[in-house]
Amino acid sequence: MLLERGDILRALVRPGTDASALEAMGVEILRGELVTDDVRPAAAGCELLFNLAGRVSHEPKDLPRLREANVDGPMNVLEGIEPGARLVHVSSVAALGPAPGPDRPADETQPFPPRATHFPYAATKRAGEKRLLEAEADVVVANPGFLLGPGDVYRISTWHVERYLRGFMRIHTPGGLSNVDARDVAAGLVALAERGRSGERYILTSREGNLSHEQLFRRLGDVTGVRRRMIGVPPRVAALSATVLPWPVRPGEVRAAANWWFYDPTKAERELGFTVRPLDETLAATAAQYLSGHRPDTYGR
């Protein structure tokens, strides 16, 4: 979208990461790390920056690395950009903490729930946001929902779809996620850069995507025709089992999943014109990359 409107793009990419798809589109690639001075040459001459970097883990042992990527990293980016440049910081709905319940989705005004401080990922994303929003700079924050859609090369957020389709995911806990198409979030980020109010956060998600884990797997089965018998497991039993058995999820992931991560995108709809495609379209596109047996296309549309 940025290239289509004529923007000149530069990306700071970690050493060892395949950037060939970006290079093929004409994006200038600089190699470096987020928490070093590598940010300064990457940001030189740029009037608009998107910080898409971060680390995901729900395990307490990973807290130091989470702080480095999700708290120190964004501040290093802010300190490395030129005066007057706008920073679009891509955070997560997790930074708002879980909603009180499935019938009460959270919005941008929700105070961070005390229990959410025990979730390492959510806590560090919140801390990183807080420091940026307190700075005297042109910063806007995006809080995307749980990303689905084509192009998840590293299977970061669609791994459960793949495992369900292949028959390896047969359990779920209470709780749910706010699912949204990554392509719609990308469009939302461009709108946020253009129209977002400095110092504000915006939830980019789908109302239709607020689904319990059970509902999501059932919906996936309806869309693909691949139906699996799923078993509901209490959170404590699931967390204990993940500790002692070779499950596809870790204990920290189970504890986080057993909450209602449901959110309301009204603010983004009203101020940014944010829209999303039907959820079934997103699920079909997500599943197609795994049902075909091919490696996900990095930039599916």
Side-chain angles (χ1 to χ4, degrees):
M1 284 174 277
L2 296 174
L3 288 170
E4 289 170 356
R5 72 180 191 183
D7 289 8
I8 299 173
L9 303 185
R10 180 188 301 147
L12 179 64
V13 180
R14 297 185 69 190
T17 299
D18 182 8
S20 58
L22 292 174
E23 291 176 313
M25 291 190 290
V27 178
E28 179 187 358
I29 303 298
L30 271 65
R31 296 288 178 174
E33 297 286 352
L34 190 70
V35 292
T36 69
D37 287 339
D38 295 334
V39 170
R40 293 186 182 277
C46 296
E47 60 186 21
L48 174 63
L49 297 97
F50 293 86
N51 177 32
L52 306 171
R55 184 178 293 278
V56 180
S57 174
H58 301 282
E59 305 307 312
K61 67 180 179 62
D62 292 326
L63 192 54
R65 294 198 300 167
L66 286 166
R67 287 189 179 125
E68 180 183 57
N70 299 339
V71 183
D72 299 336
M75 284 304 299
N76 191 56
V77 171
L78 183 61
E79 292 166 0
I81 67 178
E82 297 191 348
R86 162 161 277 207
L87 174 61
V88 178
H89 175 61
V90 183
S91 180
S92 166
V93 287
L96 302 168
D103 57 343
R104 297 171 60 192
D107 64 16
E108 293 86 351
T109 66
Q110 172 176 275
F112 195 59
R115 63 193 171 97
T117 61
H118 300 293
F119 300 133
Y121 176 68
T124 56
K125 295 301 280 189
R126 181 71 174 204
E129 275 190 23
K130 183 175 185 294
R131 291 180 63 183
L132 289 176
L133 293 174
E134 289 175 346
E136 295 183 1
D138 186 7
V139 177
V140 287
V141 173
N143 299 100
F146 197 78
L147 299 179
L148 297 176
D152 186 8
V153 176
Y154 298 107
R155 294 167 170 78
I156 299 299
S157 61
T158 63
W159 62 270
H160 60 306
V161 174
E162 178 187 25
R163 286 183 173 271
Y164 170 85
L165 293 172
R166 295 184 177 178
F168 299 138
M169 177 68 76
R170 294 299 185 93
I171 63 167
H172 63 79
T173 65
L177 297 171
S178 190
N179 302 277
V180 64
D181 197 297
R183 296 165 293 183
D184 297 329
V185 170
L189 293 177
V190 175
L192 178 57
E194 295 175 343
R195 299 190 289 277
R197 288 183 288 134
S198 185
E200 295 283 330
R201 60 167 61 94
Y202 292 82
I203 293 171
L204 304 179
T205 197
S206 166
R207 280 191 188 80
E208 188 187 12
N210 286 330
L211 296 174
S212 71
H213 304 305
E214 181 181 11
Q215 290 172 327
L216 176 66
F217 289 127
R218 185 184 307 125
R219 189 82 166 261
L220 185 60
D222 291 342
V223 168
T224 63
V226 180
R227 295 180 174 85
R228 308 289 187 193
R229 181 180 180 183
M230 302 295 291
I231 301 173
V233 180
R236 289 187 178 182
V237 174
L240 178 61
S241 299
T243 303
V244 300
L245 297 175
W247 276 23
V249 292
R250 297 177 179 178
E253 292 173 322
V254 173
R255 287 188 287 269
N259 289 270
W260 298 101
W261 305 89
F262 283 10
Y263 301 93
D264 182 353
T266 296
K267 180 179 177 180
E269 292 170 342
R270 181 179 65 247
E271 297 188 20
L272 308 179
F274 179 66
T275 60
V276 298
R277 68 198 69 205
L279 180 64
D280 285 355
E281 180 181 331
T282 298
L283 292 176
T286 307
Q289 61 194 350
Y290 298 123
L291 292 173
S292 68
H294 296 143
R295 184 174 183 269
D297 178 12
T298 310
Y299 299 102
R301 298 185 175 217

